[in-house]
Amino acid sequence: MATDKSKKKLLGEYLIEQGLVSGEQVQKALEEQKKAGARLGQTLIELGYLNEEDLIVALAQQLNLAHIDIRSYGLKPNVVRLIPEQLARRHQLIALEKFGNNLTIAMADPLNVFAIDEVQQITRCRVEPVICSRTALFTVLDKCYKEDVSEKGAVSSSVSEPALRQPQPESKEPPAGIDGNEIIDLVDSMIRTAFQERATDIHVEPDEDMVRVRCRVDGFLRELSTYPKDFLASIVSRIKVLSCLDISEKRIPQDGRFTFEVDGKKIDLRVSTLPTVLGEKVVMRVLDKTMLIISLDKLGFAPENLRWFEDLIHRPYGMILVTGPTSSGKTTTLYSALSTINTIEKNILTVEDPVEYRLKMINQVQVNPRAGLTFATGLRSFLRQDPNVIMIGEIRDLETAEIAVQSALTGHLVLSTIHTNNASSTITRLIDMKIDAFLVSSAVIGIIAQRLIRTICPQCKESYVPAKDVVTALRLPPSASGYTFYKGKGCDNCKGTGYWGRIGIYEMVIINDEIRELILKNSSTAVLAKKAQECGMRTLREDGLQKVLDGITTLEEVLRATTEEAKG
């Protein structure tokens, strides 16, 4: 227990008296502290003069407070939730015990009287603080607030053995005060939590005074957690080690991947690093095979569109093109189509950039421009491999387009993606790329344009009357006022968004004799689109509105996803 005398001393004086730091080190830390505005103890840690454990012990003695190892403490979910997550993360604290009107909380900074006051006002309890490791606290916060570990059971997670067996660059020691094992736990928890939140991407971003972690859920980014700025190098290094990247290279972008296991399920993470003025940013694409390959009837096709699409992919030859912006579900559509027609009798080859998933009985080729392996060179080799079906990740240039068209004309079924705003404009896009109109009309058998829209959360779904401006913008018929519309009110299940999951909306052009004749005449996109609608094509917006009437999504969501399509 500290004496009254020791309690009256400043922290720097006390640390010098205990022989933990020198007077020169404290002076240097005070100078740095003025620049950064951080606590003296944290500044000493960042400068490497002091480790976190020694600081915790010293503060405990100086302030006459207890200190605990938060990682081994038996936390109680009902007590933890007395303090809102946002407050706990902002002030770096967590609730431990409640006896009567007394609430014990663990804090990384027990000198933060403003935090204590705020907790007392919210909980109506008398707060008794204890000290804990800031690094360990962040890991525990993730587990308690994001996973409900104590109620749902611990979630097993680990990097796959094959990934660990790969040769990895030697890792640097973490900054002073940050334990290497705690960084490993922190990164594991980050990935695990993001996966459980149904994230498709994890963003680790440096900011002026923190590291912000965001994840993309249902197409939108949301904040997952924040960490002190000095955690950045250790977090990035850990991810680089897992991805077999060079941790010493921070000046250029790098790409890698690794496998991670969550609750017995293996997921792939595709990693991209990017140097920014504030430090390296990392984006991890979460690739869950079970979410990528979906049966065609679950993708969101209207019954008639589904029949058309199934007919197209079972034809012996011709070109099928799927178009839409990035992250509109094109790869999922193609992979689901390949899985549907994948049989022992068919030789299916794909050339992709990158190969996102390994598919059984399908021969997949990864584009490697540095080695001279492009989409075009891969396709040339494919024609000597006796293929039945060829999938091209994307048609980007004339050479690839020409070989794809020739492949479709010589008895192969070719599936690919291309970037256009809608299905009809894909025809003019190919002609603009200098593909002869007669070749386009002969090779292309169908075009699918698609978008992904969010679906209403089933837990908080409720009926409502849409705003007049939304009805006007969507050009709904007067009879629409007689329908019942739905939206999500917002609940814990959907994190207050009102949405849970996504589904596709589609427009499909089947190349028949009438449209083929218009292509040969070099007709405009507008003329092609009008004829396609006369032949039964439902536009993206019309398909979306039908899903609104079916109670699957909202008017606002369809308006958001199809504004550009409507302009076109």
Side-chain angles (χ1 to χ4, degrees), residues 130-162:
V130 298
I131 306 174
C132 68
S133 161
R134 182 175 59 150
T135 309
L137 180 61
F138 276 105
T139 301
V140 171
L141 285 172
D142 281 340
K143 291 181 178 178
C144 289
Y145 284 102
K146 296 297 183 183
E147 299 172 29
D148 292 334
V149 171
S150 298
E151 290 188 346
K152 298 181 182 177
V155 182
S156 63
S157 67
S158 62
V159 180
S160 68
E161 291 183 7

Side-chain angles (χ1 to χ4, degrees), residues 9-154:
K9 289 184 178 179
L10 297 174
L11 177 61
E13 295 175 347
Y14 186 77
L15 293 173
I16 293 172
E17 182 182 275
Q18 296 298 311
L20 296 172
V21 293
S22 67
E24 293 180 359
Q25 289 174 331
V26 169
Q27 187 58 41
K28 178 68 182 297
L30 289 170
E31 293 173 2
E32 291 295 322
Q33 181 190 19
K34 292 177 182 178
K35 300 176 185 177
R39 292 282 190 186
L40 176 62
Q42 186 59 38
T43 304
L44 286 165
I45 290 174
E46 292 173 357
L47 291 173
Y49 299 152
L50 188 67
N51 65 53
E52 189 175 23
E53 185 59 33
D54 285 342
L55 175 63
I56 290 171
V57 173
L59 280 172
Q61 292 175 346
Q62 186 200 25
L63 302 174
N64 196 22
L65 295 176
H67 66 280
I68 65 167
D69 183 353
I70 194 70
R71 292 166 298 183
S72 60
Y73 196 89
L75 294 167
K76 303 175 179 63
N78 60 322
V79 176
V80 169
R81 293 196 194 96
L82 291 173
I83 301 176
E85 178 183 359
Q86 187 177 9
L87 189 153
R89 290 187 180 280
R90 185 170 73 250
H91 291 311
Q92 301 169 26
L93 51 85
I94 193 167
L96 302 178
E97 303 286 352
K98 185 176 186 296
F99 297 103
N101 196 43
N102 294 329
L103 180 67
T104 302
I105 64 173
M107 306 181 67
D109 180 10
L111 296 173
N112 189 344
V113 293
F114 299 104
I116 294 174
D117 287 344
E118 192 169 349
V119 171
Q120 289 182 155
Q121 289 177 6
I122 289 177
T123 63
R124 305 290 184 180
C125 292
R126 178 178 176 274
V127 169
E128 298 177 354
V130 298
I131 306 174
C132 68
S133 161
R134 182 175 59 150
T135 309
L137 180 61
F138 276 105
T139 301
V140 171
L141 285 172
D142 281 340
K143 291 181 178 178
C144 289
Y145 284 102
K146 296 297 183 183
E147 299 172 29
D148 292 334
V149 171
S150 298
E151 290 188 346
K152 298 181 182 177

Side-chain angles (χ1 to χ4, degrees), residues 92 134 169 195 197 265 357 400 471 496:
Q92 301 169 26
R134 182 175 59 150
F195 178 77
E197 293 281 334
K265 178 185 290 187
Y357 283 107
T400 303
V471 174

Side-chain angles (χ1 to χ4, degrees), residues 530-546:
K530 183 178 180 182
K531 175 56 67 175
Q533 286 181 278
E534 291 174 1
C535 295
M537 182 191 79
R538 177 188 288 179
T539 66
L540 286 168
R541 177 158 289 186
E542 289 170 345
D543 194 37
L545 290 178
Q546 185 58 53

